[in-house]
Amino acid sequence: MRTISAIGIFAIAVAPAFAQAPTTAQARDMAATCANCHGTNGVSSGGTDSLAGVPKAETARKMREYKAGNRPSTVMQQLAKGFTDEQIDAMAAWFAAQPAK
Amino acid sequence: MTMQRRDFLRAAAAVAGAGVLPGCATTGGGTGGKVVVVGGGYGGATVSKYLRMWGGGKVEVTMIEPRENFVSCPISNLVLGGSRTIADVTVSYEALGKRWGVNVVRDTVTGVDADKRVVTTAGGKTFAYDRLVLSPGIDLQFSAIPSYRADPARAIEIAPHAWQAGPQTVLLRRQLEAMPDGGVCAISIPLAPYRCPPGPYERACQIAFYFKRHKPRSKVLIVDANPDVTSKAGLFKRAWAEEYRGIVEYRPNHTLADVDLATRTLKFEVGDDLRANVINVIPPQNAGAIARTAGVITANNRWCEVDFLSYESIRGKGIHVLGDSTLSAPGMPKSGHMANNHAKVAASAILNLLAGAPVNPAPMLMNACFSYITDEQAIHVVSVHHYDVAKKTMVAVPGSGGVPPAMSPFIGRAANAWAKNIWADSLG
């Protein structure tokens, strides 16, 4: 029986990783690395910005400003430099789709 | 990479469950498989919650942990400094059960049968699993210190390690309180790798913070087996030279050989003996005992090597290992933050493996380690890691991460926000 390619889930198992835009599942996994400080699914417990329900353009713009060193921060300038623009867009889109509490 | 159509559909269903939020917290119930998690620290608690959350409640999760509550090592040095209490760093496991439907069992896992896929506990119970997660943290190598071998329990009453937060932290604080002004507290640090690289140096700052205000003629002496401060070296050395001038002294290349418990004297492989009023001996460490029982300690007889795409042991067998027990990738510290991040990669991978789907081939990790210099001012080190396909390990993303130019109250507030949020993310 013919098999089909695993498109749409984790379909980019070829080097280099993220040669193309991350999938939704990858965006979820990547956004989860933000949850330590910004709360599970982007709903903050306080002291940091909630990201859930924030428009994609706003989060992506802030991340690009951190990355460029144009936005004051404690840790975010150093962390934002670890992500490509495609990854930032994917995470921003994922958070925008989460219900704000 | 190809897969059967039905597996593809199951994987799609698993991903669709990602948006399921609280309210679905019925224990078990699912047909998505059974996961047993050993240990309720940053790794174990987080993987339990995320398996339930991302699995849409379909995967049955049992977390087995002997302690009644979670006690955080991060922030616990402030208990020694006197600005926090142990209650401030203690979090209940209640939400994992009530909100997320994790079956939280207070017991100690003593046996693993990887062929039958069953664990047994000290309490005489057995739990079957499809996937097993070991997140036992560290065990302290008391056998490395000759005078400890006969009675380690007595030794750590005299020389508390306080490297697993809880009663040991409270004991060390009491010893500091009982110490006369003009006394010396010695902190012995083992060779890296050990849990929380900056932790001993933050501890020195916190004890000095207490001394400066309450026992100003007292000293903190750091005797480090390493050739230099292993984390945020410039920032810590500046704190000792400025904020804690005349209080903190740092001595590198001091490998502990033995402790004379009767006289509270530290003996070194090279260097003069050191007698102190309070001795905080942090012993060398290895993966928690259950990792040895399960046969997944594979590196230097100390740590567990894992596949960084799934955190499954390189021995396979459906056993995943998280957190401090793993052989860390280059630049990856043994930290609670890392364990929380390991747990999310593992949860994602386990759900896909249970559904017969491929795992995320490009996981990412972040780490933030904050260290309080005073009760309000802190420093940090952060890093971002991605999977290197050729090296088959996690590597730091070039150009990312770093330390701040100086300690600040802003970083202190960020550290406090970090703690609040990671406790909620792991346990709430």
Side-chain angles (χ1 to χ4, degrees):
Chain A
M1 185 183 162
R2 192 168 177 273
T3 57
I4 60 165
S5 289
I7 48 163
I9 306 296
F10 292 127
I12 56 161
V14 288
F18 292 116
Q20 48 190 291
T23 63
T24 303
Q26 282 175 327
R28 180 202 70 181
D29 288 5
M30 218 185 312
T33 68
C34 309
N36 303 56
C37 295
H38 291 276
T40 303
N41 298 317
V43 179
S44 174
S45 297
T48 57
D49 291 342
S50 273
L51 303 173
V54 175
K56 176 189 169 184
E58 188 180 327
T59 302
R61 175 178 55 78
K62 286 181 181 171
M63 281 293 280
R64 282 185 173 78
E65 287 171 1
Y66 284 130
K67 199 176 160 182
N70 296 331
R71 191 178 178 84
S73 78
T74 49
V75 299
M76 283 310 300
Q77 286 190 13
Q78 294 162 342
L79 292 174
K81 289 184 176 78
F83 295 91
T84 65
D85 286 351
E86 290 73 23
Q87 290 171 332
I88 286 169
D89 287 342
M91 287 190 288
W94 193 86
F95 280 122
Q98 303 311 305
K101 289 278 167 64
Chain B
M1 188 180 290
T2 60
M3 61 178 166
Q4 299 293 330
R5 181 172 175 76
R6 64 175 180 278
D7 290 337
F8 173 81
L9 293 172
R10 275 196 294 186
V15 170
V20 178
L21 283 166
C24 60
T26 50
T27 304
T31 52
K34 283 183 187 172
V35 179
V36 169
V37 178
V38 180
Y42 280 99
T46 305
V47 76
S48 298
K49 168 176 164 176
Y50 273 74
L51 281 166
R52 293 290 296 167
M53 183 174 79
W54 282 347
K58 291 191 177 64
V59 174
E60 206 178 306
V61 179
T62 299
M63 188 185 90
I64 307 170
E65 160 62 49
R67 292 176 196 84
E68 186 179 6
N69 294 301
F70 169 94
V71 184
S72 175
C73 282
I75 312 294
S76 72
N77 277 330
L78 276 68
V79 177
L80 303 176
S83 63
R84 304 280 181 105
T85 66
I86 201 75
D88 294 334
V89 298
T90 302
V91 184
S92 167
Y93 288 120
E94 199 179 350
L96 285 180
K98 287 198 171 157
R99 188 172 182 206
W100 297 106
V102 175
N103 179 28
V104 180
V105 176
R106 194 175 171 193
D107 206 339
T108 302
V109 174
T110 50
V112 175
D113 188 329
D115 297 323
K116 291 183 183 155
R117 300 208 170 200
V118 167
V119 300
T120 49
T121 69
K125 297 198 184 84
T126 61
F127 297 89
Y129 64 82
D130 297 306
R131 293 261 157 196
L132 177 64
V133 180
L134 302 181
S135 192
I138 50 157
D139 267 7
L140 299 156
Q141 294 180 329
F142 296 129
S143 61
I145 307 166
S147 63
Y148 276 41
R149 285 174 199 155
D151 192 352
R154 179 180 159 270
I156 64 169
E157 287 294 306
I158 298 166
H161 55 79
W163 217 238
Q164 289 157 325
Q168 276 275 301
T169 315
V170 175
L171 177 63
L172 182 55
R173 170 67 189 172
R174 282 205 199 109
Q175 291 191 1
L176 293 166
E177 285 172 338
M179 192 190 87
D181 189 11
V184 173
C185 170
I187 303 173
S188 164
I189 306 174
L191 267 182
Y194 56 86
R195 161 178 283 181
C196 189
Y201 312 111
E202 178 194 55
R203 173 168 292 180
C205 292
Q206 286 301 312
I207 294 174
F209 174 80
Y210 168 63
F211 285 171
K212 190 173 175 178
R213 276 148 193 82
H214 298 279
K215 294 174 182 176
R217 293 187 295 113
S218 308
K219 303 264 181 280
V220 181
L221 227 136
I222 307 166
V223 275
D224 192 343
N226 295 286
D228 198 359
V229 174
T230 61
S231 176
K232 300 176 246 191
L235 291 162
F236 279 121
K237 285 177 178 172
R238 190 168 151 194
W240 302 333
E242 295 174 7
E243 182 74 24
Y244 300 121
R245 185 176 188 82
I247 300 177
V248 176
E249 185 186 329
Y250 178 73
R251 294 182 188 168
N253 298 311
H254 275 63
T255 303
L256 191 72
D258 203 356
V259 180
D260 184 336
L261 291 164
T263 60
R264 288 195 164 83
T265 302
L266 304 179
K267 296 169 182 296
F268 304 98
E269 287 179 4
V270 177
D272 295 337
D273 291 357
L274 171 64
R275 189 170 177 172
N277 301 76
V278 175
I279 49 174
N280 169 218
V281 176
I282 304 168
Q285 297 145 30
N286 50 241
I290 195 61
R292 195 173 302 281
T293 305
V296 292
I297 292 182
T298 55
N300 306 324
N301 202 29
R302 287 177 77 186
W303 309 111
C304 306
E305 291 165 279
V306 296
D307 173 354
F308 285 106
L309 295 179
S310 65
Y311 289 83
E312 186 165 5
S313 162
I314 59 161
R315 293 270 162 81
K317 303 192 286 191
I319 302 175
H320 302 252
V321 187
L322 308 179
D324 292 349
S325 282
T326 59
L327 180 71
S328 308
M332 179 195 279
K334 295 189 183 299
S335 71
H337 194 124
M338 266 292 163
N340 166 294
N341 270 223
H342 292 174
K344 292 165 184 171
V345 176
S348 172
I350 288 168
L351 289 169
N352 283 27
L353 290 166
L354 289 170
V359 304
N360 182 348
M364 300 208 49
L365 303 170
M366 264 196 267
N367 186 68
C369 286
F370 293 94
S371 302
Y372 276 96
I373 303 299
T374 69
D375 57 339
E376 288 180 339
Q377 308 232 31
I379 56 177
H380 70 256
V381 58
V382 298
S383 52
V384 183
H385 308 253
H386 63 184
Y387 188 72
D388 185 305
V389 177
K391 293 179 184 156
K392 292 191 174 175
T393 189
M394 301 301 294
V395 297
V397 180
S400 71
V403 297
M407 69 175 184
S408 78
F410 300 107
I411 302 171
R413 285 197 284 278
N416 191 46
W418 172 89
K420 251 169 95 169
N421 278 283
I422 197 170
W423 294 341
D425 185 42
S426 303
L427 296 136

